[in-house]
């Protein structure tokens, strides 16, 4: 369960990390922190909190036991996605918070099926690429 041990990361996680490092090196010096944050740091930290801590504890305590657990798992996923959206609304703005709820439902479903943070964090980083390109647009 959880995010696994260091050696157990699949090759594609290392490939994504290498791609992020390459993009950071190619980005203008003043934008490297933004690139690293959007594609690697924020996705990992957010998914470690929202999936490995919050969603996992809710699934273990409430949704993985008893009857009708599939419906409970869906409700846990929806609740965590809404909290994810609220966190983004507070950090950015209301529309960003609303916009991230649908991808967060996908992240939660992927986590629910795999119970691993690595694929969710990489998918989250990929979903951040369009936003990052909008931020870098004046520099490209």
């Amino acid at each position: 369960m959880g995010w696994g041990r260091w050696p157990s990361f699949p090759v594609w996680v290392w490939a994504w990390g290498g791609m992020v490092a390459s993009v950071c090196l190619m980005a203008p010096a003043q934008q490297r922190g933004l690139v690293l944050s959007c594609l690697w740091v924020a996705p990992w930290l957010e998914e470690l909190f929202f999936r490995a801590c919050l969603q996992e504890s809710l699934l273990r305590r409430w949704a993985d036991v008893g009857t009708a657990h599939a419906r409970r798992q869906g409700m846990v996923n929806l609740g965590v996605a809404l909290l994810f959206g609220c966190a983004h609304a507070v950090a950015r703005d209301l529309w960003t918070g609303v916009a991230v709820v649908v991808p967060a439902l996908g992240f939660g479903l992927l986590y629910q099926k795999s119970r691993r943070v690595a694929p969710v964090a990489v998918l989250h980083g990929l979903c951040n690429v369009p936003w990052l390109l909008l931020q870098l647009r004046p520099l490209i």
Side-chain angles (χ1 to χ4, degrees), residues 51 54-81 105 108-109 111-113 115:
R51 307 296 163 222
L54 186 60
Q55 187 169 353
E56 183 64 32
S57 66
L58 289 172
L59 285 172
R60 285 183 182 189
R61 289 189 181 138
W62 190 60
D64 285 348
V65 294
T67 59
H69 71 280
R71 186 170 60 175
R72 289 182 182 176
Q73 286 177 341
M75 292 183 70
V76 165
N77 188 14
L78 178 62
V80 172
L105 287 169
L109 185 61
Y111 181 78
Q112 194 173 301
K113 298 294 182 189
R115 291 309 238 296

Side-chain angles (χ1 to χ4, degrees), residues 17-40:
M19 195 275 309
V20 169
S22 300
V23 170
C24 283
L25 291 175
M26 292 186 301
Q30 68 270 25
Q31 297 296 322
R32 288 182 183 153
L34 177 66
V35 171
L36 185 63
S37 175
C38 285
L39 300 182
W40 192 260

Side-chain angles (χ1 to χ4, degrees), residues 71-122:
R71 186 170 60 175
R72 289 182 182 176
Q73 286 177 341
M75 292 183 70
V76 165
N77 188 14
L78 178 62
V80 172
L82 290 173
L83 287 173
F84 187 80
C86 288
H88 282 76
V90 168
R92 297 278 176 205
D93 58 66
L94 176 65
W95 296 113
T96 301
V98 170
V100 301
V101 170
V102 173
L105 287 169
F107 302 158
L109 185 61
L110 178 59
Y111 181 78
Q112 194 173 301
K113 298 294 182 189
S114 69
R115 291 309 238 296
R116 295 182 55 88
V117 171
V120 181
V122 170

